[in-house]
Amino acid sequence: MDHTSDKGTARRVEIIARGERADIEIDGTRIDPSAVRAYSVSHFAGERPEVVLHVADRGDAQWSGLARVAVADVPAPGPAAAVFLDAIDPETLERAALARPDLGSEPYSLTKAMLVQLGEWARGL
């Protein structure tokens, strides 16, 4: 993938992913795998591709070059959770919770089963 900065300098980025590992090279220079804890690649139609390297918190890692940097706050989960919960049918939730094999008989076991069920639905299980 070629990435061109605002100044016109092309950077060749190569990522070879093998299972849980990935080898990353920038302009033919291999990046120490312990210096990167994650990466993401995105490409929207009509725009240049973007590679984001999430740097491990290591004092001995050294980076040089140009980069576009964006700082963002982690979005609050409340609005998304509210939309999810608004879509839940109470009767369907109660039936699913009562049918769970892990439903106990101790106090608050139905509430616990409902919360577990909601968590599974949120994760698409």
Side-chain angles (χ1 to χ4, degrees):
M1 168 185 299
D2 287 327
H3 178 75
T4 306
S5 73
D6 293 338
K7 296 186 180 193
T9 304
R11 309 296 272 181
R12 175 131 181 97
V13 178
E14 182 176 339
I15 300 172
I16 300 172
R18 292 182 192 95
E20 297 178 4
R21 292 195 46 210
D23 294 325
I24 302 171
E25 289 185 4
I26 300 175
D27 290 337
T29 302
R30 186 172 182 269
I31 303 299
D32 178 3
S34 65
V36 177
R37 66 179 167 87
Y39 68 88
S40 60
V41 179
S42 61
H43 186 198
F44 295 98
E47 295 183 18
R48 293 179 298 189
E50 182 175 88
V51 176
V52 178
L53 300 179
H54 301 267
V55 180
D57 187 20
R58 295 175 50 94
D60 58 346
Q62 294 185 12
W63 296 84
S64 63
L66 301 173
R68 183 178 355 167
V69 177
V71 178
D73 291 328
V74 175
V83 170
F84 171 74
L85 292 173
D86 286 344
I88 300 297
D89 176 55
E91 183 180 345
T92 303
L93 174 61
E94 187 171 321
R95 287 178 193 259
L98 288 171
R100 292 185 63 85
D102 59 349
L103 176 64
S105 59
E106 63 274 356
Y108 313 112
S109 61
L110 180 59
T111 302
K112 181 179 177 183
M114 287 181 172
L115 290 172
V116 171
Q117 186 66 50
L118 287 169
E120 289 178 359
W121 285 346
R123 290 187 297 280
L125 302 176

